[in-house]
Amino acid sequence: MTDHTGTRRGFGAWLMDPKRRGALLVTPAIVILFVMNIFPLLWSFGLSFFNYKATSQRVPTFKGLSNYEKVLTDERTWERFQTTALIVSSSVILQLIVGFLLALLFAKAFPMRRIVLMLVLTPMMLSFVSVGVFFKLFYEPTFGIVSYVLNFFTTEHFVMLATPAGAIAGIVIADAWMWSPFVMLLVLAGLVSVPKYLYEAAEVDRASKWRTFWTITFPYIKSLLLLAVLFRTIETFKLFDIVYIITEGGPGSATETIAVFLYRNAFQFFKTSHSSALAYIVLFIVIVLTNLYLYSVNRRAEEVD
Amino acid sequence: MARKYREVGKAGWGYTALTTVVGFIYFFPVFWIILTAFKTRTDALAVPPKLFFTPTLDNFYSVFFRTSITTGNSQATDMGLYFFNSIFIAFTAVGFAVIVGTLAAYAFSRYPLRGNDTYLFIILTTRMMPPIVVIIPIFLMFRISGLAGSYWGIMLLYTAFNIPFSVWLVKSFFDELNPEIEDAARMDGSTERRVFFGFCIPQILAGLAATFVFGLILTWNEFLFALLLTGVDTRTVPVAMARTLGGEVGVDYGLLAAIVTLFLIPIFFVTFLLQNQLLRGVTFGTVKK
């Protein structure tokens, strides 16, 4: 301690020890993540036990678990969870169907495949805001193209986003359009991993197409489909941008997902502590889902090897 | 590394025609927006929607310049600044995240520590959690530290936002390398530094480029953090677009479509170039094939 240079050399040598090389290389990443993610999370965990409002000067007082109690007994919370669950499940199912069909279509080799595939893959790379803007324009009651087409089928003037069911459908369609290519990519990866000799064997046995699919193809894409479902569930669960742009949670609160609900509570009503408690409940769900996802990733890795 | 795609069966030009039709139906929303970008205000709002019209470049001009009604002088809009912000913030933050992430990924791949999987899990969780969860305290933190509305704040946040993704993706590239070559290099007396820079990095350069570009797309598409943490001078394009949408004078869809179209151009290039890495990119390296 007294010999400054000595300590530093000692510390430098200690730091550069090959035993610690791994830890040393990881440190910058961990430090940044700690400052920008872990620390704020701990902070809001603390806040969730107080009655803090970001707009008020009052000194917050300790409230124990009362915020959690309030959130969990609030009917609106459950309604928002139901809305989110409805949007997530319909969107993920739609993505699976469309993605699967697209994958079957694109599994073959054909001329210009790379370029044609671009047409399908682009939506996934767009920003949520762009997609939101597109669909808001399409759903526009007077000049939107969707409304125009729908008016051929119904005589009454149809305003897509005015009814709860229509608004939810509008959001599900936009999200599923954007993310079906993701499912397609995963299914394609599964389809090409099926060994060719199995198909040849099936042909020799004159197995029906249907049977060939269920006994040979499906086992190879099963684990990837599960990954697709989990990954898309986690991502759709966070759905914010599209809803914020297309409906802003309306009509009423029909399309207010849990993320939009949180945003409202935290940044429009500034119920900081209350929303921190809700945020923690959401975080818990995401951690469980992420765990499931990684478990499936590892299981598949074992299968592939 | 760019795994050659093995297709199931072969088909000819007839099949290309079929898939092009399906692909085009799927692509139609994007196509319609691009058309809208070339329409005049009257054409954009026409009932029934117009498929054929005289194209105009006015929308693209008015993204960056606005002509004053009274004086007739044209004046730059703030959109130029927002495009600059989007690009500047994304490049800096993602560049930094990829460097830091590569170091960590190398460690996770080559020096397995105790509790490695736990660290990797925590890192992935920070990426998977809804941004709204973490933004409440970050908003307070930025308000107290004065980082709100500054370039530093949003760049630091985006760096953190991109690190989990970089670590996982770059690790998946390191994991594919053959460690025996590195061991052989060590036997020949190469230092660790030389093994890293001379053997490992050159082999995954394409992967690093892919990681960087994916990070760029994720970052310049990001909306929620930008909405809450950027100020008038540091606003990014997605936020500016959302604000245009909420305008009181009626939404100028031609203008919005022009902004979106400009934003599309880099995306097209990237999607085309990275097609083989796309699956790995969108699953953070957890699914490679």
Side-chain angles (χ1 to χ4, degrees), chain A residues 21 36 40 54 105 107-109 111 114 125-127 134 138 143 148 177 180 188 192 238 241 245 293 300, chain B residues 5-6 8-9 11 15-16 26 32-33 48 111 128 137-138 143 192 221 223 245 260 264 272 275 286 289:
Chain A
R21 192 167 289 125
M36 300 308 287
L105 188 68
K108 283 200 173 95
R114 240 178 107 89
M125 309 298 274
L126 299 173
S127 74
F134 289 9
F138 300 150
F143 55 87
Y148 177 70
W177 175 74
S180 294
L188 274 179
V192 298
K238 311 192 258 195
D241 315 26
I245 301 277
Y293 176 74
R300 171 159 193 277
Chain B
Y5 196 85
R6 290 171 300 152
V8 185
Y15 203 75
T16 305
Y26 206 79
W32 191 254
I33 290 295
Y111 304 95
M128 292 296 207
I138 283 183
R143 207 170 62 169
E192 285 301 314
N221 283 348
F223 175 63
L245 203 56
V260 172
L264 268 175
F272 186 71
Q275 222 178 73
T286 51
K289 48 190 174 184

Side-chain angles (χ1 to χ4, degrees), chain B residues 27-77:
Chain B
F27 188 73
F28 186 77
V30 184
F31 176 71
W32 191 254
I33 290 295
I34 298 175
L35 279 190
T36 309
F38 290 97
K39 284 177 181 174
T40 60
R41 206 178 165 108
T42 355
D43 283 339
L45 304 182
V47 185
K50 277 190 183 173
L51 192 56
F52 300 100
F53 56 91
T54 336
T56 164
L57 285 173
D58 283 356
N59 289 316
F60 291 96
Y61 179 79
S62 51
V63 170
F64 297 106
F65 300 102
R66 157 177 57 213
T67 313
S68 163
I69 303 164
T70 43
T71 58
N73 294 331
S74 74
Q75 190 190 355
T77 61

Side-chain angles (χ1 to χ4, degrees), chain B residues 37 57-67 75-83 237 240-241 244 252-263:
Chain B
L57 285 173
D58 283 356
N59 289 316
F60 291 96
Y61 179 79
S62 51
V63 170
F64 297 106
F65 300 102
R66 157 177 57 213
T67 313
Q75 190 190 355
T77 61
D78 292 334
M79 207 39 99
L81 173 71
Y82 302 151
F83 269 94
V237 179
M241 280 197 306
T244 315
D252 189 346
Y253 278 109
L255 180 74
L256 262 177
I259 302 171
V260 172
T261 306
L262 287 176
F263 232 52

